[in-house]
Amino acid sequence: MDTPSPSTASTTAHAVGYNDEPSITAAPLRSTDDLAVDAGQLSSLILTTEATATPQRIVESVTSLTSSGILAEVQRMPTVRDLARLLRTSPATVSSAYHALARSGILRSRGRAGTFVLRQSRTHRYDAGDLLAEAPATAPDRPIIDLSKGTPDLSLLPDIRPFLGKLGTHKAFVNSYDGPTILPMLEQILRRNWPYEPEAMTMASGAGDGLAHTMNAFVQPGDFVITEAPEYPLILDMIEAHGAMAFGVPMDGFGMLPDALDRALTMLESQRLAVPHGGHQVSMILLQPRAQNPTGASFSPQRIDALADVLLAHYPNGVGMPLIVEDDHSGDVANAYATSLAQRLPQHVVHIRSFSKSHGPDLRLAALSGPEDAVEAIIAQRRLGSGWVSRFLQEILYEMLADEE
């Protein structure tokens, strides 16, 4: 049975609404009235394993469809009775779902004119100044702490100065264009505490850098990237910058919900097959295995098995499976054991662990593992720019990890 694991504090931003404008490439559902959603198409995408649809299932489906741009801004939803008839459920069930979606800012009723999809804007970002300006005054002995950026407490970080004196001790690959992208002694010590035995490893300049290079290698414009919902806003920005569409899947205290992932994959495959010559593919599934930002959730072994079972049911023997990318951004400062879907699906997972929160943000270091072909593709993307992560910084991290004190 899953048991909660406490984790590091994280931001409170929500991953709602990923497209600011109606998306042509996302193939919005249309009827003969250009502003109306086709009730038949919509009902086919509200998938259910029960005999009848439930309000929760309708809410999840419509939220995901608006997030991905399939339901576009200002489109008019089917009437309660029409959708209830097609879903073979009661009008009260659909009405309950519509009311919940209205409370969430997804839909708005305009009386006799109908119910419409609202604009899902992400144009405004709150920074620390916004949060502090809106926060209530606190007592002098209880200062406000901004948790939104995940910045570690500087007083708890290890002192880097003793390790600077050891810099250059391992000179074999320093100042070489031909050296490895990860120092062998660093890779050896990392593998001792890695959640699985990877085929290949390399280094990145932080988890965000590793994510960016991985997306460069595997995400194409128009692709769907499945994310947890809610999701860290900068990840959504990164997906959008690649011309892809984020598709949020609900989660609980143990990570992404297996049933919700199952429905999302079925829904997206149905939408792809409904488009002539094939629609948009799911090229990546992004997960945060522990200390998920913003919820703090961490995977349990049971949740990993359940998610792996869902993926293997959709992609037997792993054929056609999207790349699974795990962002372990908090690393070992998270109050949960390191874990990975690669324990079940080693040929389909890229695992990224950051050392910014555990050893210092200015080291700008993260280790990345995965199947050899995937890691080589990511290394090839880095060669187009900086080439490799400084081996001086890698040597400092090695000395810090090897230090028994």
Side-chain angles (χ1 to χ4, degrees), residues 345-366:
L345 304 168
Q347 292 302 310
H348 304 281
V349 175
V350 166
H351 187 84
I352 305 170
R353 179 185 297 176
S354 172
F355 293 92
S356 294
K357 293 177 178 62
S358 58
H359 292 75
D362 271 322
L363 282 175
R364 308 307 305 140
L365 289 175

Side-chain angles (χ1 to χ4, degrees), residues 240-256:
E240 187 176 56
H242 282 77
M245 295 172 286
F247 196 98
V249 174
M251 58 180 296
D252 62 11
F254 312 105
M256 186 178 285

Side-chain angles (χ1 to χ4, degrees), residues 248-312:
V249 174
M251 58 180 296
D252 62 11
F254 312 105
M256 186 178 285
L257 292 167
D259 289 347
L261 175 61
D262 181 33
R263 293 193 295 272
L265 291 171
T266 304
M267 181 186 301
L268 290 173
E269 180 63 11
S270 299
Q271 193 268 344
R272 187 184 69 82
L273 295 175
V275 177
H277 311 298
H280 310 286
Q281 69 169 344
V282 178
S283 60
M284 185 174 290
I285 300 174
L286 268 176
L287 302 171
Q288 298 178 51
R290 53 180 175 173
Q292 198 268 355
N293 193 337
T295 67
S298 296
F299 283 165
S300 68
Q302 294 89 343
R303 182 57 53 88
I304 285 177
D305 282 337
L307 291 172
D309 289 343
V310 168
L311 288 165
L312 288 171

Side-chain angles (χ1 to χ4, degrees), residues 13-138:
H14 292 276
V16 207
Y18 312 139
N19 292 327
D20 291 339
E21 301 295 338
S23 171
I24 297 173
T25 58
L29 305 179
R30 305 285 190 188
S31 70
T32 53
D33 178 350
D34 197 45
L35 290 179
V37 176
D38 185 281
Q41 287 182 294
L42 178 61
S43 64
S44 70
L45 294 177
I46 298 176
L47 302 167
T48 177
T49 55
E50 290 91 6
T52 57
T54 62
Q56 179 182 357
R57 190 63 51 83
I58 297 171
V59 168
E60 288 178 4
S61 299
V62 171
T63 300
S64 293
L65 290 168
T66 55
S67 298
S68 60
I70 296 172
L71 286 177
E73 177 195 354
V74 309
Q75 281 192 282
R76 185 171 65 249
M77 295 289 289
T79 66
V80 166
R81 290 189 180 278
D82 282 350
L83 188 56
R85 174 177 54 81
L86 290 167
L87 291 174
R88 297 184 178 88
T89 190
S90 69
T93 296
V94 177
S95 178
S96 174
Y98 274 20
H99 278 93
L101 289 162
R103 290 193 299 272
S104 300
I106 305 296
L107 304 179
R108 174 176 291 175
S109 173
R110 296 179 184 169
R112 293 185 177 180
T115 300
F116 292 81
V117 179
L118 288 177
R119 178 184 179 88
Q120 301 300 305
S121 175
R122 294 193 300 115
T123 55
H124 182 70
R125 285 277 185 264
Y126 288 96
D127 59 22
D130 295 320
L131 295 171
L132 294 176
E134 297 177 3
T138 58

